[in-house]
Amino acid sequence: MEKKELIAVSPESAFHEGLEDVIAAESSICLIDGKNSRLAYRGYDIHELAEHSNFEETAYLLLLGKLPTARELEDFKAKIAAERELPEGFVKLLSSFPKNANPMAFLRSAVSTLAFFDSESEDKSPEANFRKAIRLIAKTPLIVAYFERMRQGKELIAPQKDASWSGAKNFLYMLRGKEASEVENQMLDKYYVLLTEHDLNASTFTARTVASTQSDIYSAISGAVGTLKGDLHGSANTRTMESLIEIDDVSKVESFVEQSLAQKKKFMGFGHRIYKGPDPRASDLRKMAKALADANPGQAKWYAISEKLEKLVWEKKKLNCNVDFYSASVLYILGIPVDLFTTLFAISRMAGWTAHFLEQSSHNRLIRPVSLYTGATHQAYVPIQKRS
Ligand code: COA
């Protein structure tokens, strides 16, 4: 006879839906003080890094735990520049991927495929993992630029291996087929610095979980890319720009807000699991969006719409905008196609993900939480003929 008990089998510790407030790792990479809206990489305040550092120096800081000397930085940049190439067979494979693929799906599969072209892919030593981290940081922007040119049927632009070229400058060059202005290169570089690390966000947690099984870095990073693809995570920048395009004019912001409230739709680019006050990155991105709008009067409306939307959502819902909100108009004015925005997030987050992979691997314990079981506990097996 079927014996069915619907009781929750509770583990010793409390249940935290969505792992909210659960401490799942020890880390010295990123400090987030959500109450005081403070973010620091290895103890260095994000505003200072955005102002004075650059992506390569910040990546060094994340991966190696200290700011580099001038010589160490030169050496690090040279290592990245030397990896700015994609194997011919790999590019051939990429060209066979569907041209209408979702850009993040393309990147996820490309990162996974890249492992086949790395003779060290299964070498788990810390030295090989570090080299692979550099490879991923160097090659990801190339994959994205090639994807964009391939789907547009345009000729592929060879990367610049000159170490004096920043990753941001090389990416815009490969995307456009000509050099961007210094201001644009610097804006993208600053965007990378602001987005490159954020503790145990969902994609980094995925990367650490994969690392904890002693799987390889390509598996961890392709998992992270797939996680970042979600609308509640990295794709919020694309969804935000879609909202701005839907609004189209500053006079229509109010009706957009009213309609979204009536339909109980989420405002993309607003809210955060950790920051209940302002997201500290948003103020830097707001300034960047304003500077770009001022320099490009034809595109100024995107900033005006964003500013009004931010104000109204605060008034109506007391929600602050997050990192993705002003990222949207920054990337749009930089000429990045809207559906490519999240791949830019992935390019920058690569340093954070790989730093966490190295840290997890250096003092590993398998990540294996438990669920709060809410199903039936004792059921008698019924032969298939007797089931109704
Ligand atoms: N628009 C409208 N309401 C929102 C909201 C948003 N962007 N973000 C949160 N809220 C509301 C929720 O509806 C919920 O209200 P309720 O308690 O009345 O149901 C409350 O605020 C708490 O939100 P919740 O979704 O439980 O918080 P969370 O910590 O699980 O979610 C996010 C955080 C980021 C997933 C959430 O804010 C969100 O979906 N934002 C939009 C997507 C986005 O911008 N993501 C990028 C994050 S950097």
Side-chain angles (χ1 to χ4, degrees):
M1 203 182 92
E2 185 184 357
K3 198 168 144 201
K4 198 172 180 184
E5 288 173 38
L6 277 173
I7 58 160
V9 176
S10 177
E12 297 296 300
S13 48
F15 168 49
H16 296 256
E17 194 174 17
L19 296 184
E20 187 161 0
D21 292 332
V22 170
I23 298 170
E26 273 186 292
S27 178
S28 62
I29 299 173
C30 182
L31 181 161
I32 305 179
D33 177 355
K35 281 196 192 103
N36 296 303
S37 295
R38 178 154 189 261
L39 168 63
Y41 302 161
R42 302 270 186 200
Y44 294 94
D45 194 87
I46 190 63
H47 302 300
E48 254 195 276
L49 291 172
E51 185 71 22
H52 304 295
S53 188
N54 54 63
F55 177 65
E56 282 75 14
E57 183 183 70
T58 303
Y60 183 104
L61 173 68
L62 294 171
L63 289 169
L64 289 149
K66 71 173 197 79
L67 283 173
T69 62
R71 204 182 177 145
E72 286 165 340
L73 183 58
E74 285 317 304
D75 181 51
F76 187 68
K77 282 182 175 173
K79 283 195 174 99
I80 295 178
E83 291 290 351
R84 253 186 226 143
E85 59 187 12
L86 296 177
E88 219 180 292
F90 175 65
V91 176
K92 218 176 202 170
L93 264 180
L94 292 189
S95 69
S96 72
F97 286 8
K99 303 282 172 288
N100 63 352
N102 172 290
M104 284 298 280
F106 184 99
L107 181 59
R108 179 203 59 219
S109 300
V111 167
S112 173
T113 307
L114 190 58
F116 299 146
F117 294 85
D118 187 337
S119 59
E120 293 192 305
S121 63
E122 298 301 328
D123 184 340
K124 312 270 174 60
S125 66
E127 297 76 19
N129 278 338
F130 180 74
R131 286 191 291 274
K132 285 182 278 185
I134 302 270
R135 260 169 229 148
L136 281 160
I137 290 169
K139 294 184 196 300
T140 305
L142 276 51
I143 295 170
V144 174
Y146 276 11
F147 167 70
E148 180 57 22
R149 307 243 352 147
M150 280 170 179
R151 73 173 174 173
Q152 287 192 25
K154 289 185 177 163
E155 165 205 6
L156 302 184
I157 307 295
Q160 280 289 337
K161 297 190 79 170
D162 180 340
S164 71
W165 279 50
S166 68
K169 179 174 174 172
N170 180 60
F171 174 73
L172 287 177
Y173 166 71
M174 288 182 68
L175 194 71
R176 296 178 181 184
K178 59 177 197 267
E179 282 186 47
S181 72
E182 239 354 83
V183 171
E184 289 175 309
N185 294 334
Q186 282 166 11
M187 281 287 177
L188 186 60
D189 187 73
K190 196 183 276 216
Y191 167 84
Y192 285 171
V193 171
L194 287 163
L195 275 280
T196 191
E197 167 52 18
H198 211 233
D199 190 43
L200 291 195
N201 57 87
S203 55
T204 305
F205 185 61
T206 300
R208 284 192 81 124
T209 303
V210 178
S212 84
T213 69
Q214 292 183 356
S215 185
D216 68 289
I217 197 166
Y218 289 99
S219 299
I221 301 305
S222 45
V225 174
T227 309
L228 188 72
K229 178 173 177 284
D231 285 350
L232 297 188
H233 194 4
S235 282
N237 54 13
T238 293
R239 300 284 96 81
T240 299
M241 196 63 224
E242 287 167 356
S243 300
L244 301 182
I245 291 170
E246 185 189 332
I247 296 169
D248 190 52
D249 191 277
V250 75
S251 65
K252 297 188 198 146
V253 178
E254 210 150 347
S255 55
F256 174 85
V257 171
E258 292 306 333
Q259 210 174 13
S260 302
L261 289 171
Q263 294 172 358
K264 298 198 183 315
K265 274 197 198 158
K266 273 198 167 176
F267 295 99
M268 297 317 276
F270 288 87
H272 203 278
R273 173 62 64 81
I274 309 285
Y275 300 115
K276 294 310 170 195
D279 180 331
R281 301 162 295 179
S283 58
D284 295 277
L285 285 154
R286 188 188 295 107
K287 276 187 222 150
M288 289 163 65
K290 167 106 174 68
L292 279 166
D294 289 348
N296 298 275
Q299 307 248 46
K301 73 171 178 181
W302 305 116
Y303 181 76
I305 295 171
S306 305
E307 210 183 15
K308 187 151 183 197
L309 185 56
E310 183 188 5
K311 184 171 172 281
L312 289 185
V313 174
W314 173 254
E315 279 172 20
K316 304 277 181 189
K317 289 281 291 181
K318 294 288 170 278
L319 279 171
N320 284 295
C321 67
N322 59 46
V323 68
D324 290 313
F325 187 66
Y326 281 101
S327 291
S329 46
V330 165
L331 295 177
Y332 194 75
I333 301 178
L334 285 176
I336 309 296
V338 177
D339 67 346
L340 225 58
F341 283 10
T342 315
T343 62
L344 276 276
F345 192 158
I347 290 171
S348 54
R349 190 51 63 88
M350 200 54 73
W353 285 333
T354 51
H356 278 274
F357 184 94
L358 299 182
E359 188 183 64
Q360 179 69 37
S361 305
S362 72
H363 53 266
N364 186 45
R365 184 139 202 261
L366 178 73
I367 296 175
R368 205 299 187 193
V370 289
S371 68
L372 177 67
Y373 181 70
T374 58
T377 53
H378 298 90
Q379 299 217 69
Y381 183 81
V382 182
I384 196 160
Q385 304 83 343
K386 295 197 174 165
R387 289 177 214 155
S388 52

